[in-house]
Amino acid sequence: MSENTRHKWAAGAATGIGSMPGGDAREAAKTVTGSLEDFPHLPELPARGPGADMIGRTLGLLVELYAHVEPSGWRISDRPGRDTRRSRSWLGEDLDALEEFTQGYTGPLKVSAVGPWTLAAAVELRNGQVALGDPGACRDLTESLAEGLRGHLAEVRRRVPGAEVVLQLDEPSLTAVLQGRVRTASGYRTHRAVDRAVVEGALRDLVGAADGAPVVVHSCAPEVPFALLRRAGVTGVSFDAALLTEREDEALGEAVEGGTALFAGVVPGVDGRLSDPAGSVMGVRTLWRRLGLAPGLLAESVVVTPSCGLAGASPAYAREVLTHCVRAARSLADNPE
């Protein structure tokens, strides 16, 4: 397998998205590192409850901003409470398990956190409205997240010294934020669309906070803003390939030619019958031909992933999916045309 000089991972790579089924940190780390030997990730286990979900885990990373659980969801607090402590404790367990199963590992290792815009669309201020409606609160969240991620990435590097850390920002609400489709607390109105330059600027700040780690933005929603993400300086974009339409062709082609990696979600994240590995990436090959891109770029530019997280899958299916992604990526590398 030829080394991809543009990215931290080898050509023909595969990885997971983040979430895994169950609540056993050691079992999840063992599965991920065993199945994804060349590009593992730090698992999330939302089945454990609030604080282990992607929003709660990320809120536990914030610096000088805290949150607690209300019946309506997460809300900003004045001080760290039980929910913050639980979130940090679970992340510590996850890191302990990852460290145990990555002894001597060298290579790319992906960690994830919720991006600033999905966070702002999910977290309530003290008045019960989501932070998205308050530009000052959005800035505070972004700054706190940037500082928290610096510390988190440094901790991962300390625990796994051979890792080349890759940061994934989960932004499933990004398109809704850009299109003014995030509902207010009453549910009767929507928040106005956030200016694209403001959205781009916050994401660029997070890319800068990663201290040289490649940043991949993940969204399993339709209409991923590929061009905006490329301008923000991300290394890669992670998406559900089944949701692509030909409207995205131009932006996709420009992204690849500009060096952006595509983390193509091509394997279903919920239990079902899997096709053969080559069949799973047939759509990627078709896309490549339609875009007129060089076949030699395919394995270098595409990382194969599940379509989204695996929290809703059975443990056996989750293991099968990760192994299937590795085989599908290998088929891309062996036969790009």
Side-chain angles (χ1 to χ4, degrees):
M1 188 179 291
S2 63
E3 186 68 17
N4 185 342
T5 56
R6 297 190 300 170
H7 307 305
K8 298 285 188 183
W9 49 87
T15 190
I17 296 298
S19 67
M20 294 288 288
D24 186 327
R26 290 186 74 255
E27 185 61 34
K30 181 181 178 182
T31 297
V32 166
T33 55
S35 303
L36 303 167
E37 295 180 0
D38 298 324
F39 199 167
H41 63 88
L42 175 65
E44 292 174 358
L45 299 173
R48 292 180 297 195
D53 59 301
M54 68 179 195
I55 298 291
R57 173 187 269 192
T58 301
L59 289 170
L61 293 173
L62 298 182
V63 173
E64 296 181 2
L65 272 182
Y66 313 102
H68 65 277
V69 178
E70 292 277 339
S72 54
W74 287 93
R75 183 172 292 182
I76 295 297
S77 304
D78 294 321
R79 59 185 66 85
R82 179 184 61 189
D83 296 325
T84 298
R85 289 193 294 273
R86 184 169 53 203
S87 170
R88 291 174 176 173
S89 173
W90 273 330
L91 177 58
E93 280 183 28
D94 296 336
L95 288 168
D96 288 345
L98 183 74
E99 183 178 2
E100 177 184 348
F101 287 100
T102 51
Q103 294 294 312
Y105 174 74
T106 58
L109 172 66
K110 185 163 67 65
V111 300
S112 53
V114 175
W117 296 108
T118 296
L119 203 60
V123 178
E124 297 175 353
L125 302 177
R126 294 173 184 84
N127 63 7
Q129 294 292 338
V130 294
L132 186 66
D134 183 330
C138 291
R139 285 193 295 273
D140 290 345
L141 272 176
T142 300
E143 290 171 7
S144 177
L145 178 59
E147 196 58 38
L149 285 173
R150 285 189 187 97
H152 182 48
L153 295 178
E155 172 76 355
V156 173
R157 289 177 176 124
R158 183 185 67 77
R159 287 172 174 263
V160 192
E164 296 178 353
V165 180
V166 177
L167 172 62
Q168 175 180 299
L169 296 176
D170 291 313
E171 282 283 17
S173 298
L174 182 59
T175 301
V177 167
L178 289 166
Q179 296 181 354
R181 292 192 281 105
V182 176
R183 293 202 170 274
T184 59
S186 69
Y188 294 119
R189 295 186 301 109
T190 56
H191 289 279
R192 66 169 53 180
V194 180
D195 184 271
R196 297 180 81 85
V198 174
V199 171
E200 185 182 319
L203 291 169
R204 191 179 295 112
D205 289 346
L206 269 294
V207 170
D211 294 332
V215 175
V216 176
V217 171
H218 167 69
S219 172
C220 47
E223 300 178 71
V224 175
F226 290 96
L228 182 150
L229 294 172
R230 186 165 62 90
R231 290 195 303 271
V234 306
T235 299
V237 182
S238 172
F239 56 92
D240 181 346
L243 300 179
L244 286 180
T245 68
E246 292 192 16
R247 287 197 302 272
E248 279 106 4
D249 279 6
E250 184 177 351
L252 267 172
E254 289 176 356
V256 171
E257 289 176 341
T260 305
L262 304 182
F263 283 59
V266 297
V267 185
V270 291
D271 290 40
R273 179 170 293 185
L274 295 173
S275 69
D276 67 290
S280 292
V281 288
M282 190 182 302
V284 177
R285 290 192 179 93
T286 302
L287 171 69
W288 225 250
R289 287 194 293 271
R290 195 168 76 229
L291 296 178
L293 294 167
L297 274 178
L298 183 51
E300 290 190 357
S301 302
V302 174
V303 177
V304 175
T305 74
S307 58
C308 210
L310 298 173
S314 67
Y317 181 77
R319 283 192 297 274
E320 187 180 1
V321 163
L322 297 181
T323 302
H324 188 90
C325 286
V326 171
R327 290 175 179 154
R330 194 170 298 136
S331 108
L332 271 189
D334 293 343
N335 182 22
E337 298 195 59

